[in-house]
Amino acid sequence: MDFLMSGLAACGACLFTNPLEVVKTRMQLQGELRAPGTYQRHYRNVFHAFITIGKVDGLAALQRGLAPALLYQFLMNGIRLGTYGLAEAGGYLHTAEGTLNPVRSAAAGALAGVSAVILCLPQVKTHLQAQAATEIAVGHQYNHQGMFQALTKIGQKHGLVGLWRGALGGLPRVIVGSSTQLCTFSSTKDLMTQWEIFPPQSWKVALAAAMVSGIAVVLAMTPFDVVSTRLYNQPTDAQGKGLMYRGLLDALLQTARTEGIFGMYKGIGASYFRLGPHTILSLFFWDQLRMVYYTYTK
């Protein structure tokens, strides 16, 4: 039940934040490996990107990749939050005095993230979200017709292993993001409960903790998120080998060398508008679902 509640909470958040994920993906691919000022900026900022995509690709394009995004969120966060929730309920994250141990919390968040990413296929989601009309296209265009056609095409061309291309490069993103998100959420929630800022069991505790967690996770994860998006979306040869980057470290170095330090935080505004609300909604829904479940099953 912990895994089911976690997956449903993440899917609920995804329905609201997928348009922001589409915008974030395109802004991160814009000007890839190009020096600042040497390329046409189709998307000047988050709001301009929304308007441009809606005007050129149509409003439905803002929900592009929703099916794989929902599947990804259900599997990824169902396993990640479910595993972390079990560790928390089992008392493994607290000291003998009952206070939260930040080191154990961060380690549990990282391990939960690693166990989840193995079962997910984020590259299909990235391919679909990057697809755009020629006049506003950024990054490599795969031109898939949908999730199942994309899975079939990748599987036929690169085999079953090809479906997980770029997954190793995405591990640091998940480790950093998951440990930061869950550790800051649990720590902030624990502190607010101790300080009695809100009434006991109030939904405001979870909401405030999720807001703090959203800021922390965006600052910590954006460089890895930019690189992961590019690793997943890069063109490949017949053997499935990337034609632009050899791996995570090469992508980090190339991005920093050609686009500067700000290139590592490209699309951070879109990242916050997407990750902030998604973190807040998913953690809030997760916390409230667990509270209701445990209240009525005691």
Side-chain angles (χ1 to χ4, degrees):
M1 186 56 70
D2 259 306
F3 292 98
L4 178 62
M5 289 188 296
S6 302
L8 290 175
C11 287
C14 183
L15 289 171
F16 293 98
T17 60
N18 190 63
L20 294 160
E21 174 80 3
V22 172
V23 169
K24 176 185 73 72
T25 296
R26 296 194 186 185
M27 292 190 75
Q28 289 177 339
L29 291 171
Q30 182 172 244
E32 187 173 12
L33 298 185
R34 300 281 297 276
T38 63
Y39 60 89
Q40 182 181 0
R41 293 181 65 195
H42 297 300
Y43 312 109
R44 293 196 294 271
N45 52 54
V46 179
F47 305 105
H48 180 256
F50 263 107
I51 295 169
T52 302
I53 294 170
K55 187 185 297 182
V56 179
D57 285 340
L59 291 176
L62 289 167
Q63 283 288 16
R64 192 161 282 170
L66 181 62
L70 288 171
L71 180 62
Y72 172 79
Q73 290 297 333
F74 186 80
L75 291 173
M76 171 73 173
N77 285 306
I79 297 169
R80 188 174 68 89
L81 296 178
T83 303
Y84 185 85
L86 289 176
E88 187 176 44
Y92 299 111
L93 308 184
H94 293 79
T95 62
E97 292 76 29
T99 57
L100 185 77
N101 185 310
V103 176
R104 291 183 194 175
S105 179
L111 290 173
V114 170
S115 65
V117 78
I118 295 171
L119 297 177
C120 300
L121 304 170
Q123 67 165 308
V124 172
K125 174 176 68 71
T126 303
H127 290 180
L128 291 171
Q129 290 174 340
Q131 286 182 189
T134 305
E135 58 263 41
I136 59 168
V138 291
H140 185 70
Q141 299 290 296
Y142 281 91
N143 298 317
H144 298 309
Q145 300 305 309
M147 181 177 72
F148 295 109
Q149 188 270 344
L151 289 170
T152 303
K153 183 178 176 181
I154 295 170
Q156 289 176 343
K157 186 176 180 180
H158 303 301
L160 189 62
V161 177
L163 294 171
W164 277 270
R165 182 179 62 81
L168 286 177
L171 272 178
R173 171 189 179 275
V174 175
I175 291 171
V176 171
S178 185
S179 60
T180 302
Q181 182 192 63
L182 294 174
C183 180
T184 53
F185 176 71
S186 295
S187 299
T188 305
K189 189 180 165 189
D190 199 46
L191 284 172
M192 287 185 173
T193 301
Q194 289 178 32
W195 294 342
E196 299 180 348
I197 296 175
F198 299 110
Q201 304 301 314
S202 172
W203 58 269
K204 295 176 183 177
V205 176
L207 184 62
M211 291 174 71
V212 173
S213 180
I215 295 171
V217 74
V218 169
L219 291 174
M221 198 173 77
T222 294
F224 299 100
D225 195 36
V226 170
V227 169
S228 293
T229 297
R230 295 181 175 189
L231 285 172
Y232 290 137
N233 197 66
Q234 68 173 325
T236 61
D237 61 17
Q239 287 72 45
K241 185 178 179 181
L243 298 177
M244 297 177 70
Y245 310 106
R246 293 191 298 273
L248 174 71
L249 183 59
D250 181 52
L252 283 167
L253 291 174
Q254 284 200 61
T255 301
R257 189 161 48 237
T258 56
E259 300 172 53
I261 190 65
F262 292 110
M264 304 296 295
Y265 281 90
K266 188 167 282 184
I268 190 171
S271 290
Y272 180 74
F273 279 114
R274 184 264 166 185
L275 286 171
H278 186 86
T279 297
I280 292 167
L281 289 170
S282 59
L283 292 179
F284 176 69
F285 290 159
W286 176 57
D287 189 79
Q288 294 302 296
L289 283 171
R290 292 174 73 212
M291 187 181 295
V292 171
Y293 174 73
Y294 289 124
T295 298
Y296 288 98
T297 54
K298 283 184 178 178

